[in-house]
Amino acid sequence: MAKQYDVLFRLLLIGDSGVGKTCLLCRFTDNEFHSSHISTIGVDFKMKTIEVDGIKVRIQIWDTAGQERYQTITKQYYRRAQGIFLVYDISSERSYQHIMKWVSDVDEYAPEGVQKILIGNKADEEQKRQVGREQGQQLAKEYGMDFYETSACTNLNIKESFTRLTELVLQAHRKELDGVRTRASKELALAELEEDESRPEGPVNSSKTCWC
Amino acid sequence: MAAENSKQFWKRSAKLPGSIQPVYGAQHPPLDPRLTKNFIKERSKVNAVPLKNKKASSFHEFARNTSDAWDIGDDEEEDFSPPSFQTLNSKVALATAAQVLENHSKLRVKPERSQSTTSDIPANYVIKSSSDAQLSRNSSDSCLRNALHKQQSLPLRPIIPLVARISDQNASGAPPMTVREKTRLEKFRQLLSSHNTDLDELRKCSWPGVPREVRPVTWRLLSGYLPANTERRKPTLQRKREEYFGFIEQYYDSRNEEHHQDTYRQIFERILFIWAIRHPASGYVQGINDLVTPFFVVFLSEHVEEDVENFDVTNLSQDVLRSIEADSFWCMSKLLDGIQDNYTFAQPGIQKKVKALEELVSRIDEQVHNHFRRYEVEYLQFAFRWMNNLLMRELPLRCTIRLWDTYQSEPEGFSHFHLYVCAAFLIKWRKEILDEEDFQGLLMLLQNLPTIHWGNEEIGLLLAEAYRLKYMFADAPNHYRR
């Protein structure tokens, strides 16, 4: 039976309520967009398998409620994430300023080495823009993150940003991945496999890898 | 027997799990009814389909066994339908279903009527005084937003307008009124018009569902908003409504503002805003907005006879609209009083109930419980929303309304009995759950349970099972206790 994916990991979407986290996700997984706002309660879940660098990656994406009251719940999801989207809305200065707070939450609750990416969503709302593109870039630079302006509405940079974060997570786990990569290219010799399996700390013994 | 029946029965739900669903009650104004009203009409036919006798018998069998809450026994509708009726019905149903699908797919292409965009929190001034950082946005016209605003194409669940489903609200779920229903309605009328309404008796009668015609006044009584004494009702209503609009004047005076309009959205905003400032410990929490909807829709139904579906609230007189708004506010407040710890800091009420659910399920269905453990599914991952929104996001609105008939008749219905309903709800899907063999599949299923076709019958069964669980576990010393 063909394996469905080579590796599995978890991404998390965080940011203020109403910035478009759910819309980003819907656009990415189902290529749909709905302009009406239906608030996420607690945490929603979706997944998608994409291929990056010849590796089939299944990503579980946790979409969190942005409202402050839910943070006791949503913080519980940080520790198992390998990648995090920090999302603000370019038409809301306030959501941009709150990124600082979201970053400090990540520092506190997410595992070390978690990959982060900054997203300024609703890039289509040019007339309502309150946060300049360069402000986004600067903030991202400050925190050492990649930055994208996206629009779930016009499908701008959606795939790109999800792919980018996936790449970053893959890179961060390059060592564990080498095994998978070899296998994916079917050049794996039996001897290597045995060696692989005998390696005590080698985490990649099955075709499915999960860093959690 | 009963178990077997229900297994078969739940199989009907063939819808695949997956992705975001439209949420009943989360959107105001309701989605364009014109697009889906045919669907509703057809649907009631579709619903009247197979297994009816079996279900009904198992349900009534159960009802008979569970004595007191069910004693009126006049809700047994179609026990007598001849077998040939069933075959006919399923043919009709198939044809109808095909038609519905066709209609539905046509509708999806039509452009939608302009509709003010929703946001589930009041406008900016609300934010200042509540602790929430919700960004309210009147979202935009730019780009494709409107063009793309085609709720009808949301996956899996055809959208059924909120108010349209009122027509589905007979106690039995069957549109034409049977003799039994008439008797039942008569009984309600008697109770309601007696000088001092016997509230215990009213609760008893309401437990198996309140007839649509008397639901508004029954709900006002059951929630404790309206006094049992008929003479005191009118002055009480008047006083409470004035009191509410006193709050509005004091805290939310937008009447003179240029854009003032009594749209659904604005009415909901005011209700939520006033509630939030009066309850600073909790403030506005997303999800509370959903809880206004059933009241609003039920009270609206009192003024809009047949054509609730095409209804534009601005057609109502100011007075009527104000009374609907004030009554919704007070009844929602009464409801929230009982579950306020669901929405205070760290949401202890919800955490406690999710734990209790886990405990309960581990006792009543070890297999399901172990299945979750095996695949590392945590109850919080799906049941949080069940508690936070009282299952409203898992069920069509008509079902929520029926469910609330019972919640308001059952002592601590919203705060305690709901737990057993959640357990029964979970177990209803045991087969589907056990069929899923990985974490993702399980979570996708649990977050998107296929209840689109549900109506009063399904809720009746669910409540019966919940009642059984409560009965069993409340008296067993080693079983779940509060």
Side-chain angles (χ1 to χ4, degrees), chain A residues 17 34 36 39 69-70 153, chain B residues 120 134 151 282 286 343 393:
Chain A
S17 184
H34 310 287
S36 54
S39 56
R69 179 67 79 234
Y70 290 122
C153 179
Chain B
D120 55 11
Q134 160 83 21
Q151 281 287 350
S282 118
Q286 289 169 347
Y343 306 107
R393 295 225 178 166

Side-chain angles (χ1 to χ4, degrees), chain A residues 4-5 8 10 16-19 22 26-27 29-30 32-47 58 60 62-63 65-73 76-77 79-80 89 91-92 94-95 98 122-128 151-154, chain B residues 19-23 26-27 117-120 127 131-135 137-145 148-151 153-155 281-287 289 343-347 351 376 378 380-381 384-385 388-389 393 438-441 443-444 447:
Chain A
Q4 289 180 297
Y5 56 91
L8 166 76
R10 296 191 179 87
D16 279 8
S17 184
V19 299
T22 304
C26 272
R27 175 60 89 184
T29 58
D30 304 322
E32 284 180 0
F33 177 77
H34 310 287
S35 67
S36 54
H37 180 199
I38 294 169
S39 56
T40 304
I41 304 296
V43 176
D44 270 346
F45 171 86
K46 279 185 181 269
M47 61 178 172
R58 169 158 295 180
Q60 287 181 2
W62 295 90
D63 176 24
Q67 205 191 8
E68 208 171 330
R69 179 67 79 234
Y70 290 122
Q71 285 173 23
T72 323
I73 300 300
Q76 300 179 18
Y77 292 82
R79 78 190 147 82
R80 300 211 308 196
D89 167 3
S91 66
S92 159
R94 186 190 173 100
S95 73
H98 282 170
K122 305 193 189 177
D124 56 278
E125 302 228 44
E126 203 48 63
Q127 312 100 309
K128 294 188 182 172
S151 165
C153 179
T154 60
Chain B
S19 82
I20 296 286
Q21 307 167 349
V23 173
Q27 168 145 342
T117 5
T118 61
S119 148
D120 55 11
I127 289 156
S131 57
D132 309 316
Q134 160 83 21
L135 298 156
R137 17 188 4 268
N138 265 331
S139 93
S140 68
D141 13 297
S142 67
C143 111
L144 304 167
R145 265 167 219 269
L148 287 170
H149 187 177
K150 38 162 193 175
Q151 281 287 350
S153 73
L154 277 171
S282 118
Y284 173 74
V285 178
Q286 289 169 347
N289 57 313
Y343 306 107
T344 49
F345 177 73
Q347 305 193 264
Q351 308 247 22
E376 296 180 322
E378 289 163 30
L380 204 61
Q381 288 161 348
F384 181 85
R385 192 170 70 195
N388 194 75
N389 292 42
R393 295 225 178 166
D438 65 9
F439 174 84
Q440 285 97 332
L443 222 60
M444 295 299 274
Q447 291 205 340

